[in-house]
Amino acid sequence: MIIGQYIEDGVNWLTDNFSGVFDGINTGMSSLIQVIESVWIGLPFYVTIALFTGVALWKAGRSNAILTLLGLVFIYFTGFWEETMQTFSLVLASAIIALAIGIPLGIWSAKNRTANSIIRPILDFMQTMPAFVYLIPAVLFFGLGTVPGAFATIIFAMPPVVRLTSLGIQQVPEDIVEATKAFGATPQQLLVKVQLPLAMPTILAGVNQTIMMSLSMVVIASMIGAKGLGEIVLQGISQLRIGLGFESGLAVVLLAIILDRITQNLGTKQKK
Amino acid sequence: MEKIKIEKLSLVFGKGKSKALKMLDEGKSKAEILEATGCNVAVRDANLTINEGEIFVIMGLSGSGKSTLLRCINRLIEPTTGKIFVNNDEITRMSDKELLNIRRTELAMVFQHFGLLPHRTVLSNVAFGLELQGINRVDRDKKAEETIELVGLKGYENQKVSELSGGMQQRVGLARGLANAPEVLLMDEAFSALDPLIRSQMQDELLLLQEKMQKTILFITHDLEEAIKLGDRIAIMKDGVIVQVGNSEDIITNPADDYVKSFVENVDRSKIVTAGTIMFEKPKLARLKKDGPAVVLRTMRDIGVTSLPVVRTNRTFLGFVKIEDVVDLKKKEIKTIESIIRDSVMTVNPDTTVEDMLPLLSKTNLPIPVVNEDNHLLGVVTPTSLIAETTGKDTIEIDEIIQKAIAL
Ligand SMILES: Nc1ncnc2c1ncn2[C@@H]1O[C@H](COP(=O)(O)OP(=O)(O)OP(=O)(O)O)[C@@H](O)[C@H]1O
Ligand SMILES: [Mg+2]
């Protein structure tokens, strides 16, 4: 295939000429992931469970706190605690990077028409691609392992927060924006004092979605060597060990529910 | 002293403005220009001068360009052509920085839908303009608290604005505008979203505040009653054109065209129209020393009236003489009319409204004399014209009705 040939040439050209850049990204990401991992794996399980439950109680209310507590205790007894923490660390690292890039992109596309008309079709394209496809460039640039897994995850999980940040800012009522300008606000003041605070619930909905998509992608990324629960699921499938696959799969689902409940309520004030 | 001056201001929305501007110069209509270029002419060749300390009202139907014109003054919308001056500084040539500065310190705005920040308290909304200027928290809160008290919201400082009623929200809007101590307030239908009772209350309070503050206020409304109540002067806009500028009485008694006339048709004229407007100037007179009964009688017959006002030679008003008394006098061959003057007559001044003159009708069937502060006679208001003014019927109809009433 001719197209395939071109792509291959292009990727080769990139890796030949920018190997320094990729190496830099590689080292940076892997050290970030290592730091986060060492924290979560290092903490005794009961401290981690207490922390999660505490945050859930604070942000998501009592019933969600109970759910969190039971879920994590269950995961502990499946024996996949370390893998769960690996997965969680990878989600955290990927989500932080995805948000750090995605939120500014969202702001930019809300404020600039040209930016919007470039970013929007790219997002559409990204969201229609099957998740597996992101693994290919990740492997080409970074080989196998955790870093390409995180790279694929970042790309896959970024679109919702870009979109919702942009949407949130555009949804700020025109009369409020006008009033702010009328009182002599600079564009920065408008953004920081008015648009971002008013867009915050929408942006946080985007943060929630980005975190959830990170989790789903981190599991898939174990196909290219990312560590964590995904590995066990893969083992269960490839070795036809239904029990193993089921247990690890359940741990993924529980982690997903817990993260969802906690991050869903980030934007709202403390619940009773 | 003039505060704001607008010169040949036009504003065209849409692409291909240059062609639209050319057509404007050629005097083509708004519809023609829209047809030919797709451009919407929102304001057309506006010229206005707004004086320091006055409330200037801009009135017109929806879509007539009022908001657009107002937003050109602080350049929330960039004028297509023309100049705007505030304090003789040309707004239309200011750099971004100068513009920010004048928005912060001189031109505050109050909006129809308030435009408040719902996530903030009353206090931090009112202090918002000061915050943008970079004034420290203590100073701006102090200033904001003073302004909050001024608009009668003391005690509500820490409420979220989204928890307040519409009327109170607009007080916050007003306070936010005033906290910057601006010289000019731009108010775009500031009271239109409020229910009638609150609205009228806010109008009263604005007038009260204005007495203390003496700001220059540009107030937009599509409600004539509001325009009359608030406006020292009123401009009427139609399809982007300012069709008339004047005080309320000018506009009601001398509408420039049918559009203005249709506006003023339903207004309660009796509160606005004054004696000075409807009086009959230079009425025929009886002069105390010069005119004897014979002359007076002839004058009465000439113009077909049954009474005449009597003045001294310097036009000081003395009273009326009635035809039956004059005839009597003539029979008795007395040569002066001094003895028959009826002087227990109520006079009015030129600013007295029709509403205030109506009660006088019940006491007398004589015309109502209009005098200046030196008691010099300026004219008379006849009962017929007074009734015509209040009922909107013309004088011939009224005379017929009176004749019928007499016949009964
Ligand atoms: N941003 C815009 N783009 C294009 N046309 C506009 C824009 N804003 C206003 N117009 C048009 O300009 C004209 C004047 O509008 P403007 O809002 O100034 O009227 P208005 O007198 O304030 O009316 P209202 O009483 O409804 O507020 C209208 O024909 C309107 O459709
Ligand atoms: Mg308007």
Side-chain angles (χ1 to χ4, degrees), chain B residues 13 30 40 42 61-68 189 222:
Chain B
F13 284 114
K30 177 174 165 135
N40 191 347
L61 294 180
S62 187
S64 56
K66 310 179 293 290
S67 299
T68 308
E189 305 211 20
H222 52 238

mmCIF file of all heavy atoms in Angstrom, chain B residues 13 30 40 42 61-68 189 222, ligand 1:
data_model
loop_
_atom_site.group_PDB
_atom_site.id
_atom_site.type_symbol
_atom_site.label_atom_id
_atom_site.label_comp_id
_atom_site.label_asym_id
_atom_site.label_seq_id
_atom_site.Cartn_x
_atom_site.Cartn_y
_atom_site.Cartn_z
ATOM 1 N N PHE B 13 -23.737 46.978 10.192
ATOM 2 C CA PHE B 13 -23.388 45.595 10.499
ATOM 3 C C PHE B 13 -23.272 44.807 9.205
ATOM 4 O O PHE B 13 -24.074 44.997 8.289
ATOM 5 C CB PHE B 13 -24.469 44.929 11.357
ATOM 6 C CG PHE B 13 -24.433 45.349 12.801
ATOM 7 C CD1 PHE B 13 -25.476 46.078 13.356
ATOM 8 C CD2 PHE B 13 -23.368 44.998 13.609
ATOM 9 C CE1 PHE B 13 -25.456 46.446 14.685
ATOM 10 C CE2 PHE B 13 -23.345 45.363 14.948
ATOM 11 C CZ PHE B 13 -24.387 46.086 15.481
ATOM 12 N N LYS B 30 -32.537 52.270 4.307
ATOM 13 C CA LYS B 30 -32.033 51.103 5.020
ATOM 14 C C LYS B 30 -32.398 49.810 4.282
ATOM 15 O O LYS B 30 -31.564 48.920 4.110
ATOM 16 C CB LYS B 30 -32.643 51.116 6.429
ATOM 17 C CG LYS B 30 -32.276 49.937 7.302
ATOM 18 C CD LYS B 30 -32.811 50.138 8.720
ATOM 19 C CE LYS B 30 -32.763 48.818 9.482
ATOM 20 N NZ LYS B 30 -32.245 48.933 10.833
ATOM 21 N N ASN B 40 -26.675 45.691 7.391
ATOM 22 C CA ASN B 40 -27.741 46.257 8.196
ATOM 23 C C ASN B 40 -27.287 47.596 8.767
ATOM 24 O O ASN B 40 -26.328 47.660 9.531
ATOM 25 C CB ASN B 40 -28.067 45.254 9.318
ATOM 26 C CG ASN B 40 -29.344 45.622 10.043
ATOM 27 O OD1 ASN B 40 -29.869 46.725 9.888
ATOM 28 N ND2 ASN B 40 -29.829 44.689 10.840
ATOM 29 N N ALA B 42 -27.544 50.110 11.281
ATOM 30 C CA ALA B 42 -28.143 50.195 12.617
ATOM 31 C C ALA B 42 -28.245 51.634 13.103
ATOM 32 O O ALA B 42 -29.197 52.003 13.770
ATOM 33 C CB ALA B 42 -27.347 49.368 13.617
ATOM 34 N N LEU B 61 -38.600 52.332 18.717
ATOM 35 C CA LEU B 61 -39.094 50.953 18.718
ATOM 36 C C LEU B 61 -37.931 49.976 18.729
ATOM 37 O O LEU B 61 -36.785 50.348 18.513
ATOM 38 C CB LEU B 61 -39.963 50.714 17.476
ATOM 39 C CG LEU B 61 -41.269 51.502 17.407
ATOM 40 C CD1 LEU B 61 -42.012 51.159 16.129
ATOM 41 C CD2 LEU B 61 -42.138 51.202 18.624
ATOM 42 N N SER B 62 -38.271 48.721 18.932
ATOM 43 C CA SER B 62 -37.257 47.672 18.930
ATOM 44 C C SER B 62 -36.552 47.636 17.573
ATOM 45 O O SER B 62 -37.191 47.714 16.525
ATOM 46 C CB SER B 62 -37.937 46.340 19.205
ATOM 47 O OG SER B 62 -36.968 45.352 19.361
ATOM 48 N N GLY B 63 -35.233 47.572 17.606
ATOM 49 C CA GLY B 63 -34.480 47.498 16.362
ATOM 50 C C GLY B 63 -34.166 48.849 15.755
ATOM 51 O O GLY B 63 -33.592 48.938 14.674
ATOM 52 N N SER B 64 -34.514 49.932 16.465
ATOM 53 C CA SER B 64 -34.280 51.248 15.873
ATOM 54 C C SER B 64 -32.832 51.712 16.056
ATOM 55 O O SER B 64 -32.458 52.762 15.565
ATOM 56 C CB SER B 64 -35.254 52.264 16.471
ATOM 57 O OG SER B 64 -35.137 52.285 17.870
ATOM 58 N N GLY B 65 -32.031 50.932 16.785
ATOM 59 C CA GLY B 65 -30.610 51.269 16.865
ATOM 60 C C GLY B 65 -30.175 51.937 18.157
ATOM 61 O O GLY B 65 -29.048 52.409 18.266
ATOM 62 N N LYS B 66 -31.058 51.958 19.143
ATOM 63 C CA LYS B 66 -30.747 52.646 20.397
ATOM 64 C C LYS B 66 -29.542 52.032 21.098
ATOM 65 O O LYS B 66 -28.601 52.725 21.462
ATOM 66 C CB LYS B 66 -31.957 52.575 21.354
ATOM 67 C CG LYS B 66 -33.266 52.982 20.740
ATOM 68 C CD LYS B 66 -34.405 52.853 21.736
ATOM 69 C CE LYS B 66 -34.736 51.426 22.156
ATOM 70 N NZ LYS B 66 -35.347 50.610 21.117
ATOM 71 N N SER B 67 -29.601 50.696 21.289
ATOM 72 C CA SER B 67 -28.519 50.025 22.015
ATOM 73 C C SER B 67 -27.211 50.170 21.259
ATOM 74 O O SER B 67 -26.157 50.370 21.856
ATOM 75 C CB SER B 67 -28.827 48.546 22.181
ATOM 76 O OG SER B 67 -29.995 48.389 22.918
ATOM 77 N N THR B 68 -27.292 50.055 19.957
ATOM 78 C CA THR B 68 -26.092 50.158 19.141
ATOM 79 C C THR B 68 -25.453 51.529 19.309
ATOM 80 O O THR B 68 -24.246 51.644 19.518
ATOM 81 C CB THR B 68 -26.444 49.902 17.666
ATOM 82 O OG1 THR B 68 -27.161 48.677 17.582
ATOM 83 C CG2 THR B 68 -25.194 49.825 16.827
ATOM 84 N N GLU B 189 -32.077 50.387 28.711
ATOM 85 C CA GLU B 189 -33.345 49.802 29.171
ATOM 86 C C GLU B 189 -33.191 49.225 30.569
ATOM 87 O O GLU B 189 -33.646 48.119 30.863
ATOM 88 C CB GLU B 189 -33.817 48.707 28.200
ATOM 89 C CG GLU B 189 -33.909 49.244 26.781
ATOM 90 C CD GLU B 189 -35.005 48.573 25.972
ATOM 91 O OE1 GLU B 189 -35.911 47.982 26.586
ATOM 92 O OE2 GLU B 189 -34.956 48.667 24.747
ATOM 93 N N HIS B 222 -38.005 52.133 25.559
ATOM 94 C CA HIS B 222 -38.993 52.237 24.488
ATOM 95 C C HIS B 222 -40.334 52.653 25.063
ATOM 96 O O HIS B 222 -41.355 52.560 24.403
ATOM 97 C CB HIS B 222 -39.071 50.945 23.663
ATOM 98 C CG HIS B 222 -39.275 49.721 24.481
ATOM 99 N ND1 HIS B 222 -38.401 48.666 24.450
ATOM 100 C CD2 HIS B 222 -40.216 49.401 25.367
ATOM 101 C CE1 HIS B 222 -38.819 47.744 25.293
ATOM 102 N NE2 HIS B 222 -39.916 48.164 25.868
HETATM 103 N N1 LIG C 1 -24.347 42.107 16.388
HETATM 104 C C1 LIG C 1 -25.185 42.455 15.410
HETATM 105 N N2 LIG C 1 -25.000 42.002 14.161
HETATM 106 C C2 LIG C 1 -25.841 42.349 13.167
HETATM 107 N N3 LIG C 1 -26.894 43.147 13.314
HETATM 108 C C3 LIG C 1 -27.141 43.641 14.529
HETATM 109 C C4 LIG C 1 -26.304 43.318 15.655
HETATM 110 N N4 LIG C 1 -26.794 43.940 16.743
HETATM 111 C C5 LIG C 1 -27.880 44.625 16.326
HETATM 112 N N5 LIG C 1 -28.100 44.447 15.007
HETATM 113 C C6 LIG C 1 -29.163 45.085 14.195
HETATM 114 O O1 LIG C 1 -29.027 46.475 14.310
HETATM 115 C C7 LIG C 1 -30.292 47.086 14.423
HETATM 116 C C8 LIG C 1 -30.359 47.920 15.666
HETATM 117 O O2 LIG C 1 -30.306 47.073 16.799
HETATM 118 P P1 LIG C 1 -30.314 47.621 18.280
HETATM 119 O O3 LIG C 1 -30.100 46.451 19.163
HETATM 120 O O4 LIG C 1 -29.410 48.760 18.402
HETATM 121 O O5 LIG C 1 -31.796 48.113 18.447
HETATM 122 P P2 LIG C 1 -32.555 48.640 19.725
HETATM 123 O O6 LIG C 1 -33.170 49.924 19.341
HETATM 124 O O7 LIG C 1 -31.670 48.635 20.888
HETATM 125 O O8 LIG C 1 -33.698 47.564 19.913
HETATM 126 P P3 LIG C 1 -34.299 46.906 21.221
HETATM 127 O O9 LIG C 1 -35.357 47.830 21.720
HETATM 128 O O10 LIG C 1 -34.878 45.631 20.706
HETATM 129 O O11 LIG C 1 -33.189 46.677 22.174
HETATM 130 C C9 LIG C 1 -31.312 45.975 14.350
HETATM 131 O O12 LIG C 1 -31.782 45.916 13.033
HETATM 132 C C10 LIG C 1 -30.531 44.755 14.712
HETATM 133 O O13 LIG C 1 -31.071 43.636 14.065
#
